[in-house]
Protein backbone atom coordinates (compact mmCIF):
# COMPACT_ATOMS: atom_id res chain seq x y z
CA UNK A 1 0.00 0.00 0.00
CA UNK A 2 2.93 2.37 0.71
CA UNK A 3 5.35 3.19 -2.11
CA UNK A 4 7.85 5.95 -2.77
CA UNK A 5 7.81 8.21 -5.81
CA UNK A 6 11.32 9.53 -5.79
CA UNK A 7 12.77 9.83 -2.29
CA UNK A 8 10.61 12.67 -0.99
CA UNK A 9 7.02 11.75 -1.87
CA UNK A 10 4.98 8.90 -0.37
CA UNK A 11 2.16 7.41 -2.46
CA UNK A 12 -0.52 5.40 -0.65
CA UNK A 13 -3.00 3.30 -2.66
CA UNK A 14 -6.26 2.82 -0.77
CA UNK A 15 -9.31 0.65 -1.38
CA UNK A 16 -11.59 1.83 1.41
CA UNK A 17 -9.00 1.53 4.16
CA UNK A 18 -7.35 4.32 6.13
CA UNK A 19 -3.95 5.73 6.96
CA UNK A 20 -2.77 8.11 9.64
CA UNK A 21 -0.55 10.93 8.43
CA UNK A 22 1.03 14.13 9.70
CA UNK A 23 -1.53 16.91 9.57
CA UNK A 24 -1.11 19.03 6.45
CA UNK A 25 1.22 16.58 4.69
CA UNK A 26 -1.18 15.67 1.85
CA UNK A 27 0.06 17.17 -1.43
CA UNK A 28 -2.35 15.52 -3.92
CA UNK A 29 -4.93 12.76 -4.29
CA UNK A 30 -7.18 11.15 -6.84
CA UNK A 31 -10.40 9.24 -6.30
CA UNK A 32 -12.65 9.82 -3.28
CA UNK A 33 -10.97 10.70 0.03
CA UNK A 34 -12.10 11.96 3.41
CA UNK A 35 -9.84 13.73 5.89
CA UNK A 36 -10.34 13.80 9.65
CA UNK A 37 -8.10 15.57 12.16
CA UNK A 38 -6.90 13.42 15.07
CA UNK A 39 -5.13 14.11 18.33
CA UNK A 40 -1.47 13.12 18.19
CA UNK A 41 1.01 11.68 20.63
CA UNK A 42 -0.88 8.49 21.31
CA UNK A 43 -4.31 6.96 21.60
CA UNK A 44 -6.56 6.70 24.63
CA UNK A 45 -6.28 8.16 28.10
CA UNK A 46 -2.53 7.63 28.46
CA UNK A 47 -1.86 9.47 25.23
CA UNK A 48 -4.03 12.36 26.38
CA UNK A 49 -2.27 12.55 29.75
CA UNK A 50 1.23 12.44 28.26
CA UNK A 51 0.34 15.12 25.73
CA UNK A 52 -0.85 17.33 28.58
CA UNK A 53 2.33 16.69 30.56
CA UNK A 54 4.71 17.29 27.68
CA UNK A 55 2.85 19.77 25.51
CA UNK A 56 3.88 17.64 22.53
CA UNK A 57 2.59 19.26 19.35
CA UNK A 58 2.06 16.15 17.26
CA UNK A 59 -1.09 16.36 15.14
CA UNK A 60 -2.26 13.52 12.90
CA UNK A 61 -5.04 13.23 10.36
CA UNK A 62 -6.90 10.13 9.23
CA UNK A 63 -7.23 9.73 5.47
CA UNK A 64 -9.77 7.20 4.21
CA UNK A 65 -11.16 6.37 0.79
CA UNK A 66 -10.60 4.86 -2.63
CA UNK A 67 -7.75 6.05 -4.81
CA UNK A 68 -4.20 7.25 -4.33
CA UNK A 69 -3.03 9.91 -1.90
CA UNK A 70 0.41 11.52 -1.98
CA UNK A 71 2.20 12.84 1.11
CA UNK A 72 5.33 14.94 1.64
CA UNK A 73 6.69 17.38 4.22
CA UNK A 74 9.24 20.15 3.54
CA UNK A 75 11.10 18.04 0.98
CA UNK A 76 12.27 15.64 3.70
CA UNK A 77 13.65 12.25 2.69
CA UNK A 78 11.16 9.44 3.35
CA UNK A 79 12.03 5.96 4.62
CA UNK A 80 9.63 3.00 4.71
CA UNK A 81 9.72 0.71 7.75
CA UNK A 82 7.90 -2.65 7.83
CA UNK A 83 6.68 -3.87 11.21
CA UNK A 84 5.93 -7.53 11.88
CA UNK A 85 4.40 -7.24 15.32
CA UNK A 86 7.37 -5.34 16.71
CA UNK A 87 7.59 -1.75 17.94
CA UNK A 88 9.16 1.29 16.33
CA UNK A 89 10.28 4.28 18.41
CA UNK A 90 10.41 7.53 16.44
CA UNK A 91 10.70 11.23 17.19
CA UNK A 92 7.24 12.74 16.60
CA UNK A 93 8.65 15.37 14.23
CA UNK A 94 10.05 12.56 12.04
CA UNK A 95 6.80 10.62 11.62
CA UNK A 96 4.99 11.08 8.29
CA UNK A 97 2.40 8.28 8.04
CA UNK A 98 1.38 4.83 9.28
CA UNK A 99 -1.03 2.10 8.23
CA UNK A 100 -4.40 2.69 9.85
CA UNK A 101 -4.15 -0.62 11.71
CA UNK A 102 -0.90 0.22 13.48
CA UNK A 103 -1.19 1.40 17.09
CA UNK A 104 0.47 4.65 18.12
CA UNK A 105 1.43 5.60 21.64
CA UNK A 106 4.10 7.28 23.72
CA UNK A 107 7.16 6.07 25.59
CA UNK A 108 9.15 7.80 28.32
CA UNK A 109 12.65 8.67 27.11
CA UNK A 110 14.20 10.16 30.24
CA UNK A 111 17.11 12.53 29.93
CA UNK A 112 17.23 12.47 26.12
CA UNK A 113 13.96 14.37 25.89
CA UNK A 114 15.19 16.92 28.40
CA UNK A 115 18.48 17.35 26.56
CA UNK A 116 16.69 17.95 23.26
CA UNK A 117 14.00 20.19 24.62
CA UNK A 118 11.42 18.05 22.79
CA UNK A 119 9.54 16.80 25.84
CA UNK A 120 10.15 13.55 27.68
CA UNK A 121 8.25 11.17 25.41
CA UNK A 122 8.94 9.47 22.07
CA UNK A 123 6.18 8.26 19.75
CA UNK A 124 5.77 4.48 19.49
CA UNK A 125 4.24 2.52 16.61
CA UNK A 126 3.48 -1.18 16.85
CA UNK A 127 1.61 -3.95 15.06
CA UNK A 128 1.74 -5.33 11.54
CA UNK A 129 2.07 -2.91 8.65
CA UNK A 130 4.16 -0.07 7.30
CA UNK A 131 5.26 3.29 8.62
CA UNK A 132 6.89 6.17 6.77
CA UNK A 133 9.47 8.19 8.68
CA UNK A 134 11.26 11.34 7.56
CA UNK A 135 14.85 12.49 7.81
CA UNK A 136 16.79 15.61 6.95
CA UNK A 137 18.87 14.06 4.20
CA UNK A 138 19.01 10.33 3.39
CA UNK A 139 18.72 8.28 6.58
CA UNK A 140 21.38 5.76 7.49
CA UNK A 141 20.27 2.49 9.10
CA UNK A 142 22.83 1.20 11.60
CA UNK A 143 22.83 -2.31 13.05
CA UNK A 144 23.37 -2.77 16.77
CA UNK A 145 24.52 -6.19 18.01
CA UNK A 146 25.60 -7.65 21.31
CA UNK A 147 29.23 -7.27 20.25
CA UNK A 148 28.87 -3.78 18.80
CA UNK A 149 26.86 -1.23 20.83
CA UNK A 150 26.19 2.13 19.22
CA UNK A 151 26.44 5.71 20.52
CA UNK A 152 24.35 8.36 18.75
CA UNK A 153 24.23 12.15 18.86
CA UNK A 154 20.67 13.05 19.99
CA UNK A 155 20.41 15.70 17.28
CA UNK A 156 20.92 13.05 14.58
CA UNK A 157 18.65 10.36 16.09
CA UNK A 158 15.47 9.60 14.11
CA UNK A 159 14.12 6.20 15.23
CA UNK A 160 14.98 2.70 16.40
CA UNK A 161 13.46 -0.78 16.51
CA UNK A 162 14.35 -4.16 17.89
CA UNK A 163 15.46 -5.46 21.27
CA UNK A 164 17.51 -2.44 22.29
CA UNK A 165 18.33 -0.86 25.63
CA UNK A 166 18.94 2.87 25.85
CA UNK A 167 21.19 4.70 28.24
CA UNK A 168 22.30 8.31 28.36
CA UNK A 169 25.82 9.55 28.89
CA UNK A 170 27.51 12.90 28.85
CA UNK A 171 29.92 13.48 26.01
CA UNK A 172 31.15 15.82 23.31
CA UNK A 173 31.21 15.75 19.55
CA UNK A 174 34.23 16.05 17.29
CA UNK A 175 33.22 19.64 16.56
CA UNK A 176 33.70 20.49 20.22
CA UNK A 177 37.12 18.85 20.25
CA UNK A 178 38.05 20.95 17.22
CA UNK A 179 37.03 24.13 19.00
CA UNK A 180 33.89 24.73 16.92
CA UNK A 181 31.45 24.46 19.84
CA UNK A 182 27.95 23.06 19.69
CA UNK A 183 28.83 19.80 21.45
CA UNK A 184 25.97 17.70 22.81
CA UNK A 185 25.69 17.50 26.57
CA UNK A 186 24.23 13.99 26.24
CA UNK A 187 24.68 11.06 23.92
CA UNK A 188 22.41 8.03 23.47
CA UNK A 189 23.96 4.59 23.83
CA UNK A 190 22.14 1.57 22.36
CA UNK A 191 22.91 -2.00 23.40
CA UNK A 192 21.28 -5.26 22.34
CA UNK A 193 20.07 -6.31 18.90
CA UNK A 194 18.24 -3.97 16.54
CA UNK A 195 18.35 -1.08 14.10
CA UNK A 196 18.89 2.65 14.64
CA UNK A 197 17.97 5.29 12.05
CA UNK A 198 20.08 8.44 12.00
CA UNK A 199 20.02 11.49 9.75
CA UNK A 200 23.06 13.32 8.31
CA UNK A 201 21.87 16.69 9.63
CA UNK A 202 21.46 17.59 13.28
CA UNK A 203 18.30 19.25 14.54
CA UNK A 204 18.81 22.11 16.98
CA UNK A 205 18.93 20.91 20.57
CA UNK A 206 19.24 22.59 23.93
CA UNK A 207 21.95 20.09 24.83
CA UNK A 208 24.50 21.78 22.60
CA UNK A 209 24.39 24.86 24.82
CA UNK A 210 24.43 23.13 28.19
Amino acid sequence: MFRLQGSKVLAVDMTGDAVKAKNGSMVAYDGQMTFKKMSGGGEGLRGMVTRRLTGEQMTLMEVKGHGTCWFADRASEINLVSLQGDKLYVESSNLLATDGGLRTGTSFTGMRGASQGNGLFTTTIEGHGQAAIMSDGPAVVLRVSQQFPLTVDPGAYVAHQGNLRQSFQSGVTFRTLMGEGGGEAFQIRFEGDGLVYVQPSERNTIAGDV
Side-chain angles (χ1 to χ4, degrees):
M1 187 170 63
F2 282 21
R3 54 188 172 88
L4 294 180
Q5 291 198 208
S7 62
K8 300 180 180 180
V9 177
L10 170 70
V12 182
D13 301 313
M14 287 182 277
T15 56
D17 40 2
V19 297
K20 302 171 189 173
K22 184 175 182 178
N23 197 44
S25 63
M26 186 276 294
V27 295
Y29 72 90
D30 62 23
Q32 299 294 321
M33 299 288 172
T34 61
F35 300 86
K36 176 183 176 183
K37 187 175 180 179
M38 304 172 62
S39 296
E43 300 167 346
L45 180 61
R46 185 183 178 204
M48 183 173 66
V49 170
T50 55
R51 285 194 303 277
R52 180 170 295 179
L53 287 174
T54 65
E56 186 176 337
Q57 299 298 312
M58 176 188 170
T59 306
L60 296 175
M61 61 181 177
E62 182 185 69
V63 184
K64 189 174 183 179
H66 293 78
T68 301
C69 196
W70 289 268
F71 302 93
D73 186 55
R74 291 171 293 185
S76 297
E77 298 281 339
I78 301 172
N79 311 269
L80 298 183
V81 180
S82 295
L83 297 177
Q84 304 296 328
D86 51 331
K87 183 181 292 188
L88 174 72
Y89 298 80
V90 58
E91 292 296 325
S92 61
S93 60
N94 293 97
L95 176 62
L96 179 63
T98 73
D99 280 348
L102 289 173
R103 299 182 300 278
T104 57
T106 51
S107 176
F108 182 69
T109 61
M111 292 174 64
R112 177 166 61 82
S115 70
Q116 289 187 225
N118 288 347
L120 296 175
F121 291 83
T122 289
T123 298
T124 60
I125 305 165
E126 59 184 317
H128 291 80
Q130 284 185 297
I133 61 176
M134 300 179 292
S135 57
D136 186 2
V140 177
V141 185
L142 302 175
R143 163 69 66 178
V144 180
S145 65
Q146 297 291 344
Q147 295 81 12
F148 297 100
L150 181 70
T151 301
V152 175
D153 191 313
Y157 168 82
V158 173
H160 74 272
Q161 65 184 129
N163 185 22
L164 293 176
R165 300 181 303 279
Q166 291 184 71
S167 59
F168 308 96
Q169 58 190 27
S170 61
V172 295
T173 65
F174 285 113
R175 289 192 306 280
T176 303
L177 296 177
M178 294 170 65
E180 296 180 9
E184 299 297 341
F186 298 98
Q187 295 174 339
I188 317 169
R189 182 179 173 87
F190 292 95
E191 298 176 275
D193 184 23
L195 301 174
V196 178
Y197 299 78
V198 298
Q199 61 186 10
S201 176
E202 288 187 291
R203 66 178 69 85
N204 292 328
T205 66
I206 292 176
D209 299 325
V210 171

